[in-house]
């Protein structure tokens, strides 16, 4: 019994040491290696369309998610960007590109019992870099969208669950007009009910928790 307690204590101390080494103060928040970055949704265009059909609570309205990697003392984000595809870029760069929109950025942290899965998740995310953005939002292995990218990174521990997607506006019960036009322009049927994931659904996961947030125009 004593031996098991000592082993557990050593493991906890190792995790704490790793976290202490792989953390940085950014915009007044202590960010850890492996944290998740959620980007606040806007009311119009693709951002608004994503949020309209996926928002679950009034306190969380997100249209993008990425995985934070701290490298050489600086925070980077590994993510599937609609503008750049699957990339790793400095967090400063992401904020600069969204500065004019005054976007909200929220940090969420994976619960402590899953922290040891982060190195593998980062490695899996790096393997996905270079792939194009998935504009169909139907799962495939040649392109990714943002929440798909992060779900795959943590799929080895099933941190997030795929769910049937909906493109219906909950206020009307009909397909959101944006999505009808969006898929018609691609010559595709709206993939209602197909498995997928989204930032709002992932933010509601019981396996992660909110740490803090900031705005691009906070300065």
């Amino acid at each position: 019994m004593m031996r098991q307690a000592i082993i557990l204590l050593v493991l906890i101390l190792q995790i704490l040491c790793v976290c202490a080494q792989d953390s940085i103060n950014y915009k007044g928040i202590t960010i850890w290696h492996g944290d998740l970055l959620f980007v606040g949704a806007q009311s119009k265009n693709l951002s608004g369309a994503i949020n309209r059909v996926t928002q679950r609570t009034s306190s969380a309205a997100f249209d993008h998610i990425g995985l934070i990697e701290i490298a050489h003392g600086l925070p980077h984000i590994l993510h599937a960007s609609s503008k750049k595809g699957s990339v790793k870029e400095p967090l400063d760069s992401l904020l600069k590109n969204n500065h004019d929109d005054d976007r909200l950025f929220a940090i969420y942290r994976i619960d402590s019992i899953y922290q040891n899965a982060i190195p593998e998740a980062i490695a899996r995310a790096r393997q996905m870099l270079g792939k194009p953005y998935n504009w169909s939002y139907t799962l495939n292995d040649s392109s990714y969208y943002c929440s798909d990218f992060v779900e795959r990174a943590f799929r080895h521990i099933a941190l997030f669950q795929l769910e049937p997607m909906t493109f219906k506006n909950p206020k009307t019960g009909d397909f959101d007009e944006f999505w009808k036009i969006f898929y018609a322009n691609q010559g595709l049927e709206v993939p209602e009910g197909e498995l997928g994931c989204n930032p709002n659904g992932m933010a509601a996961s019981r396996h992660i928790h909110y740490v803090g947030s900031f705005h691009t125009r906070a300065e």
Side-chain angles (χ1 to χ4, degrees):
M1 191 70 177
M2 179 64 72
R3 184 172 181 273
Q4 292 177 337
I6 293 174
I7 292 174
L8 179 61
L9 179 60
V10 170
L11 289 174
I12 292 173
L13 290 174
Q14 287 176 341
I15 291 173
L16 291 175
C17 288
V18 169
C19 293
Q21 293 168 358
D22 294 331
S23 65
I24 188 172
N25 186 281
Y26 190 85
K27 304 291 184 181
I29 300 173
T30 300
I31 297 177
W32 288 8
H33 186 73
D35 280 351
L36 301 174
L37 178 77
F38 288 83
V39 182
Q42 297 175 302
S43 61
K44 299 179 180 179
N45 304 319
L46 178 62
S47 175
I50 292 172
N51 191 59
R52 280 194 300 273
V53 300
T54 64
Q55 187 174 11
R56 300 192 178 192
T57 67
S58 59
S59 60
F62 302 119
D63 72 350
H64 191 69
I65 180 177
L67 176 60
I68 291 177
E69 177 185 5
I70 297 178
H72 307 293
L74 296 173
H76 295 73
I77 181 169
L78 301 163
H79 65 144
S81 163
S82 60
K83 295 180 180 179
K84 302 177 181 179
S86 296
V87 296
K88 171 184 173 179
E89 63 177 315
L91 187 52
D92 281 343
S93 175
L94 182 67
L95 267 62
K96 183 178 180 180
N97 291 337
N98 288 278
H99 190 271
D100 292 339
D101 298 326
D102 189 22
R103 304 294 291 274
L104 169 72
F105 292 84
I107 303 296
Y108 281 67
R109 184 159 298 147
I110 298 163
D111 290 346
S112 58
I113 60 174
Y114 300 108
Q115 285 288 317
N116 60 354
I118 287 176
E120 176 67 17
I122 294 289
R124 287 170 176 252
R126 288 173 181 161
Q127 292 174 356
M128 291 186 282
L129 299 180
K131 294 291 183 69
Y133 189 77
N134 180 0
W135 287 103
S136 73
Y137 299 107
T138 55
L139 300 177
N140 64 77
D141 293 325
S142 60
S143 61
Y144 311 114
Y145 57 91
C146 68
S147 50
D148 171 33
F149 181 92
V150 174
E151 185 276 326
R152 288 173 187 265
F154 287 98
R155 188 173 289 180
H156 60 297
I157 57 167
L159 189 67
F160 302 104
Q161 299 297 316
L162 296 176
E163 300 175 335
M165 295 188 295
T166 183
F167 297 86
K168 293 182 177 180
N169 190 318
K171 294 182 179 180
T172 66
D174 296 324
F175 285 123
D176 189 276
E177 192 65 26
F178 178 95
W179 292 113
K180 289 195 291 186
I181 297 172
F182 180 86
Y183 282 105
N185 288 339
Q186 297 186 62
L188 299 172
E189 296 288 333
V190 178
E192 181 74 10
E194 293 193 25
L195 290 179
C197 50
N198 61 78
N200 283 323
M202 296 172 85
S205 169
R206 68 182 185 277
H207 302 311
I208 68 175
H209 58 275
Y210 173 79
V211 174
S213 60
F214 51 86
H215 286 260
T216 48
R217 289 185 178 178
E219 299 86 357

